[in-house]
Every structure is written in C-alpha cells, then in structure tokens.
Amino acid sequence: MSRQFTLSRRQAHRYIEAAQTLERPVPVAEPTRAVTFKLPPSLVDAVRARAAAETTTISDLVSLALRAFLGEAGGNG
C-alpha cells in the first residue's frame, strides 16, 4: 500500500488500522468535475446558508438538489 499510494509505511499502517475499526465499507464517490455558472447573489447566499446550516458542502447540496430535480423530470434533463 505504501508504494502504490506513495505513503510512508507508518502512515499506510495507520490507514489500515483505522479502516479495520469501521463498521461498514465506505462508499466510493463518483468522480467530480468542476463547472462554472452564474446565479443571482441572493440565490448564492441562500445556498451557502443552507449548506452551512446542514453542515454540508455547497457541492453536495447542489448535487442533491440537481439529482432530485432530474429524478422528478425523468432524468432526461
């Protein structure tokens, strides 16, 4: 593991020890890609406030909202 991920043997050992204490596997997230788009300042402020209130990231909040919208729209965008 230390060679594969360019870690020290000590750090690799710590990661393995931490993984052995997990009760279930950690889900592997889909790779992400950065996008840039413009929104009204009031919407940006609302998204930031909501993400902070839910202790999540803006990216996760927007992803959740878009997935919900696309699911309701049949997922065909």
Side-chain angles (χ1 to χ4, degrees):
M1 184 169 146
S2 62
R3 285 184 187 158
Q4 182 181 359
F5 295 104
T6 318
L7 299 170
S8 70
R9 291 178 57 90
R10 179 185 228 172
Q11 188 61 47
H13 183 71
R14 287 182 185 152
Y15 285 145
I16 290 170
E17 283 183 334
Q20 289 172 340
T21 65
L22 298 175
E23 295 179 16
R24 58 185 172 180
V26 176
V28 177
E30 181 178 354
T32 59
R33 183 180 303 157
V35 296
T36 303
F37 49 90
K38 295 181 181 185
L39 297 171
S42 60
L43 183 56
V44 173
D45 293 342
V47 169
R48 285 184 175 149
R50 180 71 174 262
E54 294 187 16
T55 60
T56 189
T57 64
I58 293 171
S59 292
D60 285 346
L61 184 70
V62 171
S63 293
L64 181 65
L66 287 172
R67 287 182 191 279
F69 173 76
L70 293 173
E72 291 174 8
N76 294 327

